Amino acid sequence: MKFQLHKTDSQSAARAGEIFTDHGTILTPIFMPVGTVGSVKGVYHRDLKDDIGAQIILGNTYHLYLRPGLDILKAAGGLHHFTSWDRPILTDSGGYQVFSLSPIRKITEEGCIFRSHIDGSKHTFTPENNVDVQRIIGADIIMALDECCPGDADYKYAEKSLRLTQRWLERCVARFDSTEPLYGYSQTFFPIIQGCVYPDLRRQAAEHAVSLGREGYAIGGLAVGEPTEKMYEMLEVLGPILPPDKPRYLMGVGTPQNILEAIARGVDMFDCVMPTRNGRNGMLFTWEGTINIRNAKWADDFSEIDPQGKSFVDHAYSKAYLRHLAIAGEMLAAEIASQHNLAFYLDLVAKAREHIMAGDFAQWKEAAVKKLETRL
């Protein structure tokens, strides 16, 4: 994987760049739709590519490891072949899911013992076998196994957690560098920078990760319960430490406002389940603000969902029709809303890139955030 920085905004840390992988190029800033179990919920790959414009999607190691399992994925030739997706894929290591979903887990120096949320069976992730699992899944970009520290953790816990994550990271790097891809294309490994909301821990985590000389860096443990202002503060702490010629991935974030503020602080890559999850619950993101399509006020509104949006669904369906589908419990409502929201998020980062390249990102961002915060 290679990264080329095209331009940095003169009034902020916002960056426009390009990531090159064996499965295609990715223009940054970029939003990556979440395909946890090998699918983006309720959305065809055709629509992801042609209408939504997804350049890269995510898979999750924890979920794919449990189901369909490594034997199936390896026999299929990796996740790309299994899912018929021919563009880049990134996999999270599954650490967050182990700590948040597993009813029984035990963290040791060796790794994490956990029970499946599906059938209660017992499993172990170590830094070494987690890299092996992601080699088998075959993602273009794979993540380090880490402990995701809660956003409200005290300093003592956060420091202890970080030290374990750093030791695991060194073992992940050693395993990655001593193994080869399985399917004839290259893979890239990203460390995950933890440290909770403590600036000195974040600095130490970033400096340690940078010393390992990888092709990109992920920022984890934010948007997990800490105040939004703290998230922005931690990004400002990390900006000067992370190499300018490497992409920066903020994991699991977030609202459209969060994304624009993070872009302004130098982040290049994002993922979040919010577009599809909120869409299934009737919340739509538009350039004028957010809409709860189930509200009665939309019952006779025959205008487009988002006249300023790029999504094809904006021009095919009215607010009134989408509300009718949602109230009637029709599956199509969730599909339309999910596609609309994903298209909006991809349009959001594309417009951010346009304004970075044009040199007026900071002014545009301030105006955009005010509108995006509006509830219609």
Side-chain angles (χ1 to χ4, degrees):
M1 190 203 84
K2 295 180 181 178
F3 177 68
Q4 181 178 350
L5 184 61
H6 292 162
K7 189 167 183 179
T8 301
D9 182 55
S10 61
Q11 298 182 51
S12 71
R15 299 137 49 91
E18 190 168 5
I19 298 171
F20 300 88
T21 78
D22 288 349
H23 281 104
T25 61
I26 305 158
L27 296 176
T28 63
I30 190 64
F31 179 81
M32 304 178 285
V34 177
T36 301
V37 298
S39 72
V40 177
K41 275 189 189 297
V43 183
Y44 286 107
H45 290 174
R46 172 199 65 208
D47 298 332
L48 276 173
K49 291 180 180 180
D50 298 340
D51 298 314
I52 294 168
Q55 301 172 51
I56 176 174
I57 62 173
L58 268 69
N60 182 264
T61 298
Y62 169 87
H63 289 282
L64 293 167
Y65 163 78
L66 293 176
R67 187 170 52 194
L70 300 185
D71 291 343
I72 294 294
L73 289 169
K74 193 168 186 179
L79 189 59
H80 288 89
H81 283 291
F82 185 61
T83 61
S84 300
W85 176 261
D86 59 2
R87 294 183 181 179
I89 295 175
L90 180 150
T91 44
D92 187 3
S93 65
Y96 176 79
Q97 285 70 31
V98 166
F99 303 122
S100 64
L101 293 181
S102 180
I104 301 174
R105 60 185 181 273
K106 181 180 180 181
I107 302 168
T108 69
E109 187 67 34
E110 181 60 20
C112 183
I113 303 166
F114 62 95
R115 291 195 179 274
S116 165
H117 72 287
I118 299 168
D119 61 9
S121 56
K122 188 176 179 180
H123 304 271
T124 301
F125 273 166
T126 68
E128 292 79 11
N129 73 20
N130 192 266
V131 168
D132 296 343
V133 168
Q134 292 186 79
R135 287 287 200 195
I136 292 170
I137 294 171
D140 301 87
I141 303 172
I142 73 177
M143 294 292 120
L145 181 66
D146 63 334
E147 181 186 1
C148 185
C149 183
D152 59 355
D154 62 32
Y155 186 91
K156 184 177 180 181
Y157 180 95
E159 183 177 29
K160 181 181 178 182
S161 174
L162 175 59
R163 300 303 172 228
L164 179 63
T165 289
Q166 289 177 314
R167 293 191 295 272
W168 282 3
L169 174 57
E170 292 177 1
R171 289 165 57 190
C172 283
V173 168
R175 185 64 157 215
F176 181 84
D177 288 347
S178 65
T179 56
E180 296 292 332
L182 301 178
Y183 308 117
Y185 54 86
S186 64
Q187 292 178 286
T188 295
F189 176 87
F190 280 19
I192 300 177
I193 296 167
Q194 290 287 353
C196 198
V197 295
Y198 303 104
D200 61 323
L201 295 183
R202 286 283 175 179
R203 289 190 194 96
Q204 293 169 34
E207 289 166 357
H208 176 255
V210 170
S211 73
L212 299 173
R214 312 321 294 181
E215 287 88 357
Y217 300 92
I219 303 164
L222 294 175
V224 290
E226 82 288 351
T228 302
E229 294 74 19
K230 281 292 183 182
M231 174 172 69
Y232 299 152
E233 180 188 343
M234 294 306 103
L235 295 178
E236 290 166 5
V237 166
L238 296 176
I241 302 171
L242 297 176
D245 60 344
K246 305 290 178 67
R248 305 162 181 180
Y249 163 34
L250 178 57
M251 306 179 76
V253 176
T255 67
Q257 303 94 290
N258 291 158
I259 288 175
L260 290 185
E261 295 292 356
I263 289 173
R265 290 161 173 83
V267 176
D268 307 296
M269 305 168 69
F270 302 87
D271 80 284
C272 190
V273 297
M274 188 172 284
T276 48
R277 179 178 291 171
N278 286 27
R280 294 193 302 274
N281 292 314
M283 177 179 282
L284 282 80
F285 299 98
T286 79
W287 283 105
E288 293 300 319
T290 57
I291 292 173
N292 182 347
I293 201 63
R294 301 180 67 87
N295 286 348
K297 66 185 293 185
W298 311 116
D300 59 355
D301 187 328
F302 304 108
S303 64
E304 298 170 6
I305 296 169
D306 187 5
Q308 298 184 49
K310 70 178 278 282
S311 171
F312 78 100
V313 297
D314 290 341
H315 310 296
Y317 307 109
S318 69
K319 297 183 184 76
Y321 178 59
L322 183 54
R323 179 184 185 273
H324 159 68
L325 294 177
I327 296 300
E330 285 291 332
M331 292 170 60
L332 184 57
E335 183 177 347
I336 292 172
S338 295
Q339 291 188 17
H340 165 83
N341 282 348
L342 287 171
F344 174 82
Y345 269 61
L346 267 295
D347 194 29
L348 179 77
V349 293
K351 281 188 167 60
R353 178 186 171 84
E354 289 174 9
H355 286 280
I356 294 168
M357 296 299 291
D360 64 350
F361 170 81
Q363 299 93 323
W364 171 81
K365 187 266 292 183
E366 291 302 318
V369 165
K370 289 179 182 178
K371 283 195 171 183
L372 295 172
E373 290 174 340
T374 303
R375 288 190 173 270
L376 299 175

